[in-house]
Amino acid sequence: MKTRYSLQSSVFSHQLSVFFSILFCLSSLASFSQVTSSVETNSIKIGEQITYEIKVEADTTKLVVFPEGQTFSPLEMIEAYQIDTTKNKDKYNLIRRYGLIQFDSGSYTIPRQKIIIGDRTFFTDSLQVEVNDIVVDTTKGLYDIKPIIAVKKTGSNWWKYVLYALLIIGAIGALIYWFIWRKKPLTEEEQIALLPPYDRAKLALKKLDESHYLEHENLKDYYSDLTFIIRKYLDEKVYDHALESTTDELIHRLNLLKDGNQVDLSKDDIKNLESILKRADLVKFAKSAPDIELAKIDRDTIDLEIDHVKEALPEPTEEEKLLDQKYREEQARKKKRNKIIITVLLSLFLITAAVVGFSIKYGFDYVKDTVIGHDSKELLEGEWVTSAYGFPPITITTPKVLKRTTPELPEEMAQQIDLTQFEYGSLIGQFQITAATTRLKNLGDNKIDIKQAIDGSLKMFESVGAQNIITKTDEFTTPNGAEGLKVYGTMEIPVPNTDKFQKSNYVILGFTSENVIQQVLVAYKEYDVYAEKMTERILNSVELKEVEE
C-alpha cells in the first residue's frame, strides 16, 4: 500500500509540475503580446528628437508602471509625455511616448525597457537607431561659438506656500479687525444711550420742543412722549417699575419713598407730577383736549421736576461708587472676553473652511502635508540626483546624494572582504537608502550565495532592535538587464526613547558578479505614500555594470 501511495504521489507531482510548466509557457506567450515598443524612425540627425513609443495591453484591474528617468542610455530622454488610455471591453490599451535625443553620430541601441503590470515584470525589445552627421557647407563661412549664458537655477516652490499662508492669515486678520475689534463710529442713538439719565431726559425734552405736535394739535403723542420722559427718569433713578406702573401706583410709591426719607421730594412736587400724569391719561384714553398753552406749562413743569428729583436724590456713598466702578470694569471685561471668544471662533471657522475647501480640491493628506510639512513629501518633490557608487558602480537615482560610510568590521572579516558603502538617512529615522559593494578576497572556485549575503542585511535589522521581520523573495531585473534577487517585506522598528514600535517596509536588491556582491536597500515607514513613490522611483533607476577584467 505504501509503494502504491508513493508511486501515485510521484505521478501526481510529475503531472502537476508539467501542468505548471505548460501554464507558465502559455502565460509567458500571452504576456509577450501585452507589451510592444517602436520608434517613429530609426535614422535621425545629430540633435534631432526621436519619439520612442511603448504600447501596453492590460486588464483594467492591473496597475501599470512605465519607465521613469534616464533609462534609455546612450540616448538621453528630454521629455516623457502623458499616457494615452483607451478602453477595449475589459482591457486598457495604454500608450506612452518619450522624446529621446543624441548629440554624437553613430549607431546606438536603445536598451530594453522594464514594464511592471500588476505583480509581474515585462521587458521591451531593444531597438537600433542611427544618428547621422549634419553636412556643413563650409563655402558659406563659419561663425564663432556663442558664449556661455548663465541660467538661473530654479528653486522649489516653498515660497508660494508661504505666500498663500500669509495671504490667508492676512485676510482672516482683516475680517476680524473690521467686524470685531475696529472701533465703529457711534450712531446718534448709541451716543444718547451713553449719556447719564439726567442729561438724557433734558435732551429728550429739547427734541420734544423740536417736534411739531403742538403745531398740529397732536396732544396725544405730545403727552405720551412727555410722560415717558419723566417715567423713564424715575425708573432709572427712583423706582425701577415706574414705566409699567399706573399713575396711582407710581404716586403711591413716591409717597412711600418720601415718608421713608429715601427721596427728599416735597408734597408739591409729587402733586404736580400726579396732576400732569392724570391729565396725560385723560388725553390718551378719554380723548381729552386741554389748551395748547396748558400743554406748554406741563412741559416746563416736568423740566423743573426733573431738576427737583435730581436734587432730592442722596449722594452715592463711596461704597456705591466703588461697586459701580467694579460693575463697569466687569462689564468691560465681559465685553472683551466676548470679543476674544468671537475672534477665536471666527478664526477657527475660517481656517476650517479653508482646509475643507483645499481638501476637497487636493485631498486632506496633501493639504495637511503641505501646510504642516512632511519630510518624505519634500524629498519626493525636491531635486533628485543620479550618481554611480562603488566599484563596479551601482548607478542609482536618489532624492539626496548618498554619503560614504565606513562600517566597523571584525579584523578577520576585514581581511576577507573590501566593503564600500554609501547611505542616506537611517533605519531608526524611518527612511534609509543604502548602496553597498562587497568584493570577496581569495574566493577561489567557490560561488557566492546571494541569499546568505541578504540574510546578513536582515541580521543588521535585528541588531538595531527590529522584530517581527516578514520576508518575501522575488527575482529582479534592472532596466539594463542585470538579474538579481529582490527580498522585501515588513518589520517593526523601535521608536527612540519609547517602548513603542513603528511598522516599516523594506526592500533589498542583491546582485552577484564573479567575486562581487552589490546590494541596494531601501527602508521606510509603513503607509507613507510619498516614501512608497520614492522607493518605486529608486528601484526603477538601479543599473549595474559588469566587472571589467
Side-chain angles (χ1 to χ4, degrees):
M1 292 298 291
K2 290 183 179 180
T3 303
R4 175 181 291 183
Y5 177 82
S6 174
L7 180 61
Q8 289 177 348
S9 299
S10 176
V11 172
F12 176 76
S13 300
H14 176 71
Q15 291 176 345
L16 189 63
S17 62
V18 171
F19 170 76
F20 279 114
S21 299
I22 296 173
L23 181 63
F24 176 77
C25 294
L26 290 176
S27 63
S28 299
L29 291 173
S31 65
F32 180 78
S33 63
Q34 291 179 337
V35 178
T36 59
S37 63
S38 62
V39 290
E40 58 184 355
T41 178
N42 58 2
S43 179
I44 59 174
K45 295 179 181 179
I46 292 177
E48 182 181 355
Q49 178 178 321
I50 186 174
T51 301
Y52 180 86
E53 182 178 272
I54 299 177
K55 294 182 180 180
V56 175
E57 180 182 346
D59 293 339
T60 57
T61 59
K62 295 295 180 67
L63 175 65
V64 179
V65 180
F66 285 92
E68 295 289 345
Q70 299 296 341
T71 62
F72 302 92
S73 180
L75 273 72
E76 179 183 354
M77 186 194 75
I78 59 176
E79 186 174 3
Y81 300 97
Q82 293 293 329
I83 300 173
D84 293 335
T85 306
T86 58
K87 189 173 182 181
N88 184 13
K89 296 182 180 179
D90 60 340
K91 293 185 179 296
Y92 276 135
N93 292 323
L94 309 176
I95 301 176
R96 188 165 198 185
R97 298 177 178 88
Y98 301 85
L100 308 180
I101 198 169
Q102 175 56 255
F103 294 97
D104 290 325
S105 61
S107 179
Y108 296 95
T109 299
I110 301 176
R112 60 178 186 163
Q113 300 296 309
K114 182 177 72 173
I115 313 295
I116 299 175
I117 303 176
D119 57 354
R120 300 189 61 188
T121 302
F122 301 86
F123 290 91
T124 64
D125 292 332
S126 59
L127 298 174
Q128 195 76 16
V129 176
E130 292 290 335
V131 180
N132 303 309
D133 286 325
I134 299 176
V135 179
V136 180
D137 187 358
T138 59
T139 61
K140 295 182 179 180
L142 300 176
Y143 298 93
D144 292 335
I145 299 174
K146 291 185 178 181
I148 297 174
I149 300 176
V151 179
K152 293 183 178 180
K153 182 180 178 181
T154 58
S156 61
N157 294 328
W158 63 269
W159 61 271
K160 292 184 179 180
Y161 301 123
V162 175
L163 179 60
Y164 294 153
L166 291 176
L167 289 175
I168 293 173
I169 293 172
I172 293 174
L175 290 173
I176 292 173
Y177 170 77
W178 183 261
F179 290 104
I180 299 178
W181 293 99
R182 179 177 65 95
K183 291 184 178 180
K184 303 175 186 178
L186 298 177
T187 63
E188 183 180 0
E189 289 78 7
E190 291 173 336
Q191 292 176 352
I192 294 173
L194 293 175
L195 295 174
Y198 175 80
D199 296 335
R200 210 180 311 128
K202 289 291 187 177
L203 182 61
L205 287 175
K206 289 183 180 180
K207 288 187 173 293
L208 182 63
D209 294 338
E210 295 172 359
S211 68
H212 302 284
Y213 291 145
L214 296 182
E215 295 178 10
H216 297 90
E217 297 184 356
N218 186 0
L219 295 174
K220 182 177 180 181
D221 290 340
Y222 182 84
Y223 271 98
S224 294
D225 291 353
L226 182 63
T227 53
F228 178 79
I229 293 170
I230 187 61
R231 281 178 176 271
K232 179 68 174 176
Y233 182 64
L234 292 173
D235 186 86
E236 293 178 321
K237 303 299 296 183
V238 180
Y239 176 49
D240 57 0
H241 294 291
L243 284 174
E244 62 266 25
S245 299
T246 64
T247 299
D248 291 337
E249 290 172 346
L250 179 57
I251 297 302
H252 178 68
R253 174 61 64 174
L254 293 177
N255 284 319
L256 290 177
L257 294 174
K258 172 181 170 47
D259 295 340
N261 295 322
Q262 297 183 27
V263 179
D264 190 17
L265 282 174
S266 65
K267 290 187 177 182
D268 290 337
D269 292 330
I270 296 175
K271 187 174 181 180
N272 290 337
L273 291 173
E274 181 181 11
S275 176
I276 295 173
L277 291 174
K278 287 187 175 181
R279 187 159 34 251
D281 291 341
L282 291 174
V283 172
K284 290 186 289 183
F285 303 112
K287 297 183 179 181
S288 175
D291 188 71
I292 299 297
E293 294 301 322
L294 179 58
K296 293 179 179 180
I297 294 173
D298 288 341
R299 183 262 178 218
D300 294 336
T301 303
I302 291 296
D303 191 2
L304 184 62
E305 295 304 331
I306 290 174
D307 294 335
H308 290 172
V309 171
K310 181 183 179 182
E311 295 170 358
L313 294 173
E315 287 290 328
T317 63
E318 291 298 326
E319 184 179 355
E320 291 174 340
K321 291 180 180 178
L322 183 61
L323 290 174
D324 185 59
Q325 182 181 358
K326 288 183 178 180
Y327 173 77
R328 289 197 298 271
E329 291 175 353
E330 180 64 25
Q331 290 300 110
R333 282 195 295 270
K334 286 183 179 180
K335 189 175 182 180
K336 186 176 181 180
R337 185 168 62 249
N338 290 338
K339 282 187 175 182
I340 293 174
I341 293 173
I342 294 174
T343 300
V344 172
L345 292 177
L346 180 59
S347 301
L348 291 175
F349 171 76
L350 293 176
I351 292 173
T352 303
V355 171
V356 170
F358 283 111
S359 298
I360 292 174
K361 186 173 182 180
Y362 301 106
F364 176 75
D365 289 336
Y366 178 83
V367 173
K368 173 178 66 65
D369 295 337
T370 300
V371 175
I372 300 176
H374 195 290
D375 294 338
S376 298
K377 183 175 183 292
E378 294 174 2
L379 288 175
L380 178 63
E381 296 178 351
E383 295 183 4
W384 285 51
V385 179
T386 300
S387 186
Y389 301 94
F391 182 81
I394 302 174
T395 302
I396 186 172
T397 302
T398 56
K400 296 289 183 181
V401 176
L402 306 185
K403 294 183 179 181
R404 184 168 188 152
T405 58
T406 306
E408 295 183 1
L409 300 175
E411 185 176 353
E412 295 180 0
M413 184 178 294
Q415 295 176 355
Q416 297 177 7
I417 66 172
D418 287 330
L419 174 61
T420 307
Q421 183 170 291
F422 299 85
E423 288 185 324
Y424 170 78
S426 66
L427 194 61
I428 301 298
Q430 302 301 340
F431 188 78
Q432 179 183 13
I433 308 171
T434 303
T437 301
T438 305
R439 185 182 293 270
L440 304 180
K441 303 175 182 178
N442 303 320
L443 183 62
D445 296 331
N446 297 323
K447 292 185 179 180
I448 299 175
D449 189 344
I450 188 62
K451 292 185 178 180
Q452 289 184 358
I454 293 179
D455 287 341
S457 299
L458 297 176
K459 290 180 180 178
M460 182 271 293
F461 293 157
E462 296 177 353
S463 67
V464 296
Q467 61 183 25
N468 298 330
I469 302 175
I470 299 175
T471 301
K472 300 178 183 178
T473 305
D474 200 355
E475 294 180 353
F476 184 85
T477 305
T478 65
N480 66 338
E483 297 180 352
L485 190 67
K486 175 182 177 182
V487 177
Y488 60 98
T490 60
M491 57 183 169
E492 294 180 357
I493 300 296
V495 179
N497 303 321
T498 66
D499 297 332
K500 299 180 179 179
F501 285 79
Q502 171 66 52
K503 200 168 185 180
S504 300
N505 295 335
Y506 71 89
V507 180
I508 303 175
L509 302 182
F511 306 90
T512 61
S513 177
E514 296 186 0
N515 64 332
V516 174
I517 301 173
Q518 294 170 291
Q519 288 182 287
V520 175
L521 181 149
V522 181
Y524 59 94
K525 184 170 60 176
E526 192 178 35
Y527 304 121
D528 188 340
V529 293
Y530 307 107
E532 290 179 3
K533 293 179 180 178
M534 283 194 294
T535 301
E536 181 180 347
R537 182 173 176 181
I538 291 169
L539 298 183
N540 288 336
S541 70
V542 175
E543 291 187 2
L544 305 179
K545 291 186 178 180
E546 295 182 357
V547 180
E548 296 181 359
E549 297 293 343

